């Protein structure tokens, strides 16, 4: 099993397969970004599978495929198929723009839960947030996933004076649809113009929802990043990921592989460990994994007391 120096077990690996995306969400992709990682720098399907095999042998039992937008990779079906053969619970995060093309791939891989990024239900506001006029396609694909019996978790990054007025629209959406809405506090990454005053906090989200709905607390599972609730009488649920104002690092069980094969022991870690180069040299990567894990900080990469947080952009980490 993979334990850090604080006794936290790590059995969940998030694998980014690309830093390319077909949206330009303002909290994720820097405004000046022009080039994505070249193909020869990305992990190949075989390399992803080989790395995953090592992690599974070390105790990982859940893998999430992320991006960028993972469905943009032309070989994503091969990647999904290979990872589905691992002894893990396999999930994927997507903006759902191409989800209709991969329904059968998801089913064949026994993927049951899909995370979809969507930060507004207003088409005009969607365009302002993403620089793309694709709201209707994404919305219809979410409903398509529901009709095909997938668990759909909708990730909504809340930014003050940008989209917090949409929160209760998403709560209303859960009245008749079995969605899991996840409100995420705005987090700092390179190039996303984060400011502390832009964070719409956990308490503010709860107060805003309570102003219109009676809500019930749902029991959280171990390692949950989301504090979960249900509006009374609603079919779906909602939760809040409060990384900034109420961090949950004491229960962290996550490791991250970037699309270029770097291991990050925390979403906010400054340091990375190059597993892909070692793999391509046929070197043993297990000591590198243990070394990275031993360096994991107690909370939020150990950076939140610093003047400047040093990290990649969100799109190049994989979330």
């Amino acid at each position: 099993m993979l334990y850090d120096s604080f006794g936290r077990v790590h059995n969940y690996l998030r694998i980014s397969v690309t830093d390319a995306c077909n949206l330009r969400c303002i909290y994720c992709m820097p405004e000046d970004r022009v080039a994505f990682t070249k193909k020869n720098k990305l992990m190949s399907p075989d390399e992803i599978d080989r790395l995953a095999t090592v992690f599974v042998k070390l105790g990982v039992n859940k893998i999430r495929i992320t991006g960028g937008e993972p469905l943009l990779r032309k070989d994503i079906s091969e990647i999904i198929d290979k990872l589905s053969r691992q002894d893990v619970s396999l999930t994927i995060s997507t903006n759902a723009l191409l989800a209709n093309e991969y329904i059968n791939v998801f089913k064949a891989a026994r993927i049951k839960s899909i995370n979809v990024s969507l930060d507004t239900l207003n088409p005009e506001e969607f365009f302002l947030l993403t620089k793309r006029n694709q709201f209707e396609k994404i919305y219809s694909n979410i409903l398509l996933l529901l009709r095909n019996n997938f668990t759909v978790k909708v990730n909504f990054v809340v930014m003050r004076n940008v989209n917090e007025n949409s929160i209760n629209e998403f709560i209303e959406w859960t009245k008749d649809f079995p969605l899991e809405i996840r409100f995420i506090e705005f987090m700092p990454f390179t190039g996303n113009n984060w400011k502390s005053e832009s964070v719409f906090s956990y308490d503010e989200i709860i107060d805003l929802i309570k102003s219109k709905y009676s809500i019930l607390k749902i029991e959280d599972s171990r390692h949950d990043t989301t504090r979960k609730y249900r509006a009374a009488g609603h079919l779906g649920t909602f939760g809040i990921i409060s990384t900034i104002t109420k961090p949950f690092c004491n229960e962290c069980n996550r490791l991250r592989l970037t699309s270029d094969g770097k291991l990050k022991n925390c979403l906010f870690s400054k340091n990375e460990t190059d597993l892909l180069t070692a793999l391509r040299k046929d070197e043993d990567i297990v000591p590198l994994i243990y070394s990275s894990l031993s360096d994991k900080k107690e909370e939020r990469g150990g950076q939140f007391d610093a003047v400047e947080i040093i990290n990649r952009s969100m799109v190049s980490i994989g979330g």
Side-chain angles (χ1 to χ4, degrees), residues 27-44:
Y27 55 81
C28 183
M29 189 175 293
E31 289 183 10
D32 58 355
R33 184 179 179 84
V34 292
F36 299 116
T37 301
K38 293 181 179 179
K39 184 177 180 180
N40 68 328
K41 299 291 186 182
L42 294 173
M43 298 181 290
S44 71

Side-chain angles (χ1 to χ4, degrees), residues 91-271:
T91 61
I92 189 167
S93 292
T94 173
N95 59 34
L97 190 53
L98 302 174
N100 57 298
E101 300 177 23
Y102 290 93
I103 293 288
N104 291 333
V105 174
F106 298 154
K107 289 180 178 179
R110 300 181 302 282
I111 292 175
K112 295 180 173 60
S113 178
I114 297 177
N115 283 22
V116 178
S117 299
L118 182 65
D119 308 298
T120 180
L121 292 175
N122 180 295
E124 290 76 22
E125 190 171 78
F126 179 88
F127 179 80
L128 293 174
L129 289 170
T130 68
K131 310 298 191 292
R132 299 292 184 269
N133 188 23
Q134 296 286 0
F135 171 79
E136 296 298 340
K137 180 69 178 296
I138 290 171
Y139 184 84
S140 66
N141 275 346
I142 289 173
L143 299 184
L144 177 65
L145 290 169
L146 289 176
R147 288 197 300 273
N148 280 270
N149 299 314
F150 291 98
T151 296
V152 180
K153 300 177 181 179
V154 178
N155 291 341
F156 174 160
V157 176
V158 186
M159 295 164 283
R160 187 184 303 280
N161 298 326
V162 176
N163 62 350
E164 77 271 26
N165 290 334
S166 296
I167 288 172
N168 279 338
E169 293 179 19
F170 278 76
I171 300 299
E172 189 63 24
W173 198 14
T174 68
K175 184 174 182 180
D176 299 313
F177 292 91
L179 294 159
E180 298 182 24
I181 307 298
R182 293 140 58 93
F183 300 112
I184 303 173
E185 291 182 343
F186 185 30
M187 292 180 280
F189 296 97
T190 295
N192 74 347
N193 297 312
W194 182 88
K195 297 180 179 63
S196 59
E197 54 266 30
S198 298
V199 176
F200 199 76
S201 72
Y202 172 96
D203 289 335
E204 290 173 301
I205 293 169
I206 287 291
D207 287 344
L208 181 59
I209 295 170
K210 281 184 174 180
S211 71
K212 185 174 180 181
Y213 299 95
S214 174
I215 65 174
L216 310 169
K217 184 71 182 74
I218 300 172
E219 184 177 357
D220 300 319
S221 302
R222 190 183 179 194
H223 304 306
D224 267 352
T225 60
T226 309
R227 295 176 173 90
K228 294 181 289 190
Y229 298 84
R230 185 190 306 274
H234 284 217
L235 188 60
T237 64
F238 73 93
I240 304 170
I241 299 177
S242 55
T243 306
I244 304 302
T245 64
K246 296 181 188 291
F248 35 79
C249 302
N250 61 313
E251 284 291 337
C252 183
N253 67 335
R254 291 156 174 74
L255 294 168
R256 289 172 168 81
L257 265 180
T258 62
S259 59
D260 56 350
K262 307 298 194 301
L263 177 63
K264 289 180 72 72
N265 59 30
C266 172
L267 180 59
F268 297 107
S269 60
K270 176 170 58 176
N271 299 323

Side-chain angles (χ1 to χ4, degrees), residues 52-69:
T53 297
V54 174
F55 279 96
V56 171
K57 287 179 179 178
L58 294 174
V60 164
N61 57 22
K62 179 178 179 179
I63 290 177
R64 176 176 298 280
I65 301 168
T66 72
E69 173 45 52

